[in-house]
Amino acid sequence: MEEMEEMEEPDRIPDTPLLDRPRQLRGYRLNKMAMGLGDPANRAAFRTDEPAYLDRYGLTEEEKAAVLARDWREMVRLGGNLFFILKISAVDPIRITEIGAHQAGMDHESFLRDRLGKKE
Amino acid sequence: MARIVGGLGTSHVPSIGAALDKGLRDTPEWKPFFDGYLPAREWVREHRPDVAVVVFNDHYNALFLDRVPTFAVGCAPEYHPVDEGWGPRPIPPFEGATEFAWHLLDSLVENRFDPEIIQEIKVDHGLQVPMELFWGRPSGSWPVRVVPIFVNVLQYPIPLPARLYELGQALGRAIESYDSDERFVVLGTGGLSHQLQGARAGFLNREADQRFLTEIAEEPGKLAGWSRQRYIDTFGGEGAEVIMWLVMRGALNPEVVVRHRHYFAPASMTGAGMIVMENA
């Protein structure tokens, strides 16, 4: 797929994924699936049978594996945008700072201290 | 004619709304943040605006990637809170200032801005949180009507900062040419520095945030001249949305007086800034 090849290009600003054309195209299905979680009936379907819910949106095996594993870094690599995939945390709670730490490749405590400057 | 009584800038972090919903307002983590808005709340009570034009972005709650308006003006009679995944938040719906919204559309198009026209839409934290911060959550209905201006700051290409400043100037002319004795405020929302995704997640730039709060008042033309890339570098991938403040600033006169200003970091993962300005 053309868009798959484009995704191999580095982001124009290091370590800063923007929702540009290749990401938008690559992530469309994944983002549409997550957008669906704004509807309570879809949240119930996601809770009841997550793989079946993901299949409804035609996710690839790679995309499904990333969602099922709650692999936030991988979801973003596959074109997922945070404002969509954050809705997964409404069904399966996790703090946004934990999602951030995961993407930065840091443990939560170090992330809060070193990136956000929180004391404790 | 209608009059702009002030320009208000604020972050619109969703965790602020969640903190209010969970009753965390007076916890050590949040109290200094919310207390910083008390003088601004007092200013709003004194100046009693009739209409708030709120410049913000939907975070893929009411709008999807199938249609992405660069600019859109809401002309709806009311705006209900949207379900962002946790159910709609328990706040009253916002009443729309429909007559002004249509006047604004006429005026913008005559000034060569061509926004999408929205008649029915729900609103997310991008509008809700600024309203709660400046007006407080009302027990009944909101004491002010709203006109939302939606800006695409997520799907690239996003508009140029200079274009947003010009949109603000056109908005200011539309308000001043509106045959009414109503009192207007313009809200610029979003930012300041934050990044939520990628290996640079957690990026904050407190110095740049403080400088922005000074320069948005004193040197807006300079900020309007920055490139989008410079905003992303300086404020983070998601923090670049702070360009929406330029619409609010463009609606004011070149010379302004800063009445209140506040900064708190981090609110969740964001450098949270606030400003209240009046025309000099």
Side-chain angles (χ1 to χ4, degrees):
Chain A
M1 279 163 71
E2 185 190 321
E3 60 263 37
M4 297 285 277
E5 286 160 22
E6 287 183 40
M7 285 295 289
E8 300 307 316
E9 293 175 16
D11 283 308
R12 282 169 295 175
I13 296 170
D15 301 325
T16 302
L18 303 176
L19 192 52
D20 53 12
R21 176 170 174 261
R23 283 190 177 278
Q24 203 263 31
L25 292 171
R26 180 67 184 85
Y28 201 88
R29 286 178 305 266
L30 181 58
N31 289 326
K32 192 168 182 176
M33 175 283 295
M35 181 84 183
L37 298 175
D39 178 341
N42 287 336
R43 293 198 287 273
F46 185 101
R47 277 194 197 95
T48 305
D49 187 344
E50 187 173 331
Y53 175 79
L54 301 182
D55 282 339
R56 273 168 45 188
Y57 293 86
L59 264 57
T60 64
E61 288 306 314
E62 192 181 33
E63 290 161 353
K64 280 172 68 176
V67 175
L68 287 162
R70 304 291 183 264
D71 188 337
W72 306 96
R73 191 165 22 181
E74 179 70 355
M75 283 187 260
V76 170
R77 191 185 73 80
L78 294 171
N81 178 270
L82 189 97
F83 292 115
F84 292 107
I85 62 178
L86 188 61
K87 297 181 207 303
I88 296 169
S89 78
V91 183
D92 185 7
I94 178 173
R95 286 171 290 186
I96 191 167
T97 47
E98 291 178 87
I99 297 175
H102 181 256
Q103 294 178 87
M106 300 167 76
D107 67 74
H108 190 231
E109 203 174 308
S110 313
F111 180 78
L112 292 181
R113 185 187 61 234
D114 299 342
R115 290 277 168 102
L116 301 181
K118 287 206 167 194
K119 297 155 193 93
E120 272 172 275
Chain B
M1 289 295 148
R3 193 160 71 85
I4 300 177
V5 297
L8 315 178
T10 183
S11 303
H12 60 214
V13 184
S15 304
I16 298 167
L20 290 172
D21 293 346
K22 292 175 187 162
L24 303 177
R25 187 211 169 290
D26 291 319
T27 57
E29 176 163 11
W30 284 104
K31 192 175 189 307
F33 168 78
F34 286 110
D35 283 354
Y37 279 77
L38 292 175
R41 295 260 308 261
E42 186 57 35
W43 183 94
V44 167
R45 269 194 297 276
E46 275 174 25
H47 289 79
R48 307 179 318 281
D50 300 297
V51 178
V53 179
V54 185
V55 184
F56 79 113
N57 67 298
D58 174 77
H59 303 76
Y60 301 124
N61 290 302
L63 295 166
F64 183 61
L65 296 170
D66 54 345
R67 275 158 273 184
V68 181
T70 298
F71 301 122
V73 172
C75 315
E78 62 178 359
Y79 303 91
H80 284 262
V82 68
D83 185 341
E84 302 188 29
W86 290 263
R89 296 186 51 237
I91 58 175
F94 300 90
E95 184 185 345
T98 51
E99 288 220 6
F100 174 74
W102 286 101
H103 166 81
L104 174 61
L105 281 164
D106 284 337
S107 183
L108 288 180
V109 170
E110 282 157 16
N111 285 283
R112 305 185 182 199
F113 276 93
D114 312 294
E116 182 172 291
I117 302 167
I118 296 190
Q119 188 57 46
E120 192 176 350
I121 196 165
K122 292 178 179 174
V123 291
D124 74 3
H125 64 266
L127 183 141
Q128 296 169 17
V129 164
M131 295 301 292
E132 289 174 273
L133 286 172
F134 286 121
W135 276 266
R137 189 185 298 186
S139 47
S141 54
W142 294 90
V144 59
R145 287 170 295 132
V146 302
V147 174
I149 297 181
F150 298 80
V151 180
N152 166 39
V153 289
L154 295 175
Q155 160 78 69
Y156 284 74
I158 66 172
L160 294 177
R163 187 71 175 148
L164 294 176
Y165 192 50
E166 290 165 9
L167 175 63
Q169 291 168 333
L171 167 64
R173 286 196 292 273
I175 294 171
E176 284 158 10
S177 66
Y178 184 51
D179 187 8
S180 155
D181 57 4
E182 287 172 314
R183 302 156 65 83
F184 279 69
V185 284
V186 180
L187 272 65
T189 76
L192 309 181
S193 64
H194 63 296
Q195 180 157 332
L196 307 178
Q197 46 195 346
R200 198 167 70 135
F203 172 81
L204 281 174
N205 193 341
R206 291 169 171 84
E207 295 74 24
D209 289 345
Q210 291 283 8
R211 207 174 313 125
F212 181 85
L213 288 171
T214 300
E215 291 180 348
I216 193 70
E218 295 175 5
E219 296 181 86
K222 188 174 107 181
L223 291 174
W226 283 24
S227 68
R228 291 166 292 183
Q229 171 136 356
R230 184 165 174 193
Y231 274 95
I232 299 161
D233 283 337
T234 306
F235 296 103
E238 281 66 47
E241 67 178 4
V242 75
I243 58 177
M244 291 188 290
W245 288 42
L246 290 166
V247 182
M248 173 272 289
R249 184 61 184 88
L252 300 177
N253 293 346
E255 298 295 324
V256 295
V257 180
V258 176
R259 293 298 180 203
H260 303 290
R261 166 181 167 159
H262 180 61
Y263 183 73
F264 177 88
S268 182
M269 287 168 66
T270 301
M274 182 276 281
I275 201 162
V276 176
M277 294 180 281
E278 294 175 28
N279 283 328

